[in-house]
Amino acid sequence: MNTLREDLHELAAHAPDVDLADVAIRGARRRNRVVRLSLAAAVVAAGIAGGSVIRLQQEVRPVPPVVLTPPETKALPLPDKGVAPVEQVYRPFCRGGCQESGWRIVTRRGETFQLPEVPGPVEATVDGRRIAYYSEKDRRIVVRDLASGQIWKAPLKQPKQDFKVEYTLRMSPNGLRFIVSGWGGRREPNMLVDIEQGTVEQLDSGWWPVSVADGDGPVVLAKPYDKSTKVWVRGHKPVTIPTFTYEFSALNPDGRRLVRMGQFLSRTEPMVRRDGMIVTFDALTGGIQARVPVSGIPGDLEPAKLGGWLSADEVTLVAVARSPGSDASAVAYAVNVLTGKARKLFPLRAEGAYAVPGLVH
């Protein structure tokens, strides 16, 4: 498999008239799909290998195997109102000929609710009180308050095809301002939508949404290149980060602090890898404020994604299995950006797609 660096150089050599920043973003998205497919193939291969071992054991000692099936989580239809804040959103992983089920939400009270089938992901605000998704009936993104049941409809109408490809929905803390960006389809929207003001603004092509504040607060965008990434707090000049990355937190409420996952370039292969550290920097100047190792996470997990702020110095972090063949499940943490100390919030329930409130992904 070619590395992302090789792909970008190949594109640069053969397509000089193409916007390389835009190509870099699409290439990274395509590479993520290839990695996911490779991981799925590895899981299948492991299952086949495991099956061979079982058959051999049965020939030597013909004892019927005991199969333990985990209990099925009962999901009730989502009520019209009175729902507690979301802890996580997930789509159960389906294998062995079963039928794909839609998205589910797990509340902080431990309830699991089934959402109506919707194209594309479901996102939640950082406080978990509101969710957003594409409504095929309304042909637009809608935001729903889980406690009151109130629904807001975006002023931007979009075709269903926009949500059958890869897209990002980045919500503000109250959910009434968001960016919707899409890649891979005939249309590639990149819009800043304000439901309260009823406005839609076209954003510059190639800039990926990192963070959106309520009202007229800061909007943060990023544009990765081969060896660097530009970070732009609109209204200020972009700053340059010396690595290719999409792995940022939301902007701190102070309007300056942003956190990214630490990375290094492997010496054995031209690949950028995570180094287990988080880097806090000033999004307006680019200056590094702290670089600390993450602690308090088991050795079979590694920090992977960041999200919204839970306090002045704690940010959401998701850790995933360090090895593709590991049985370890992803876990959500709160990590102190000054000390690197992580405290566990909850394990993620699904092997398939998932979202944590406020996660930047």
Side-chain angles (χ1 to χ4, degrees):
M1 183 189 299
N2 288 342
T3 66
L4 178 58
R5 185 184 301 276
E6 291 168 342
D7 289 339
L8 291 170
H9 284 307
E10 183 70 10
L11 288 166
H14 295 286
D17 294 331
V18 176
D19 183 342
L20 294 184
D22 190 42
V23 170
I25 292 177
R26 297 188 198 181
R29 293 285 175 172
R30 287 194 299 271
R31 182 171 179 81
N32 286 342
R33 288 198 296 273
V34 172
V35 170
R36 288 195 294 269
L37 290 174
S38 299
L39 294 181
V43 171
V44 173
I48 293 172
S52 299
V53 172
I54 291 173
R55 286 196 297 271
L56 179 59
Q57 290 174 340
Q58 287 175 336
E59 290 174 6
V60 176
R61 187 179 56 190
V63 177
V66 177
V67 178
L68 299 177
T69 303
E72 181 70 20
T73 301
K74 184 176 181 180
L76 300 174
L78 183 67
D80 292 335
K81 60 181 180 179
V83 179
V86 173
E87 179 181 85
Q88 57 188 290
V89 184
Y90 74 97
R91 184 190 289 272
F93 185 74
C94 181
R95 62 160 65 97
C98 61
Q99 185 176 1
E100 287 284 351
S101 58
W103 289 90
R104 296 177 176 183
I105 65 170
V106 180
T107 72
R108 294 179 190 169
R109 291 199 294 243
E111 303 154 313
T112 300
F113 295 111
Q114 183 80 44
L115 273 66
E117 186 60 39
V118 295
V122 176
E123 298 291 341
T125 54
V126 67
D127 63 7
R129 298 181 184 278
R130 293 174 179 173
I131 61 174
Y133 53 89
Y134 179 75
S135 167
E136 188 174 356
K137 175 184 175 183
D138 297 305
R139 296 184 60 231
R140 66 187 76 206
I141 291 172
V142 298
V143 177
R144 176 172 174 173
D145 187 282
L146 294 171
S148 69
Q150 183 176 356
I151 292 177
W152 295 264
K153 297 179 182 179
L156 173 67
K157 282 193 174 183
Q158 293 180 266
K160 182 179 179 181
Q161 287 70 22
D162 280 3
F163 302 91
K164 287 186 174 180
V165 296
E166 292 184 85
Y167 85 94
T168 293
L169 179 59
R170 189 75 66 238
M171 302 174 69
S172 71
N174 70 8
L176 301 183
R177 192 175 183 225
F178 60 83
I179 296 176
V180 57
S181 297
W183 298 269
R186 191 174 53 134
R187 289 160 40 92
E188 294 194 336
N190 198 25
M191 307 282 192
L192 174 62
V193 180
D194 190 318
I195 294 179
E196 290 182 304
Q197 298 297 324
T199 59
V200 178
E201 180 183 350
Q202 175 70 50
L203 299 176
D204 294 344
S205 175
W207 287 91
W208 182 75
V210 173
S211 179
V212 183
D214 292 333
D216 59 356
V219 172
V220 185
L221 306 170
K223 181 182 284 190
Y225 293 86
D226 189 5
K227 296 181 180 180
S228 64
T229 301
K230 286 189 179 296
V231 177
W232 181 23
V233 179
R234 297 181 76 210
H236 302 269
K237 292 183 178 180
V239 298
T240 300
I241 305 302
T243 187
F244 179 102
T245 183
Y246 286 99
E247 295 171 353
F248 296 99
S249 73
L251 186 67
N252 188 279
D254 65 12
R256 301 188 71 101
R257 282 190 298 172
L258 204 63
V259 186
R260 66 176 175 87
M261 299 301 310
Q263 297 182 147
F264 70 96
L265 183 63
S266 172
R267 293 183 179 181
T268 57
E269 53 182 330
M271 297 283 290
V272 174
R273 299 188 180 280
R274 303 184 187 100
D275 62 8
M277 304 186 77
I278 53 173
V279 182
T280 304
F281 65 98
D282 189 316
L284 303 186
T285 67
I288 293 178
Q289 297 179 340
R291 182 191 297 268
V292 296
V294 177
S295 61
I297 293 177
D300 56 352
L301 296 178
E302 67 173 0
K305 294 290 181 183
L306 296 164
W309 292 82
L310 304 174
S311 68
D313 296 320
E314 277 192 323
V315 71
T316 305
L317 179 147
V318 169
V320 300
R322 188 176 297 276
S323 171
S326 172
D327 293 331
S329 298
V331 178
Y333 292 87
V335 61
N336 187 298
V337 301
L338 302 180
T339 65
K341 179 65 177 177
R343 59 183 178 87
K344 184 176 179 180
L345 297 177
F346 50 84
L348 297 174
R349 296 196 180 188
E351 297 173 315
Y354 63 84
V356 173
L359 191 67
V360 179
H361 64 113

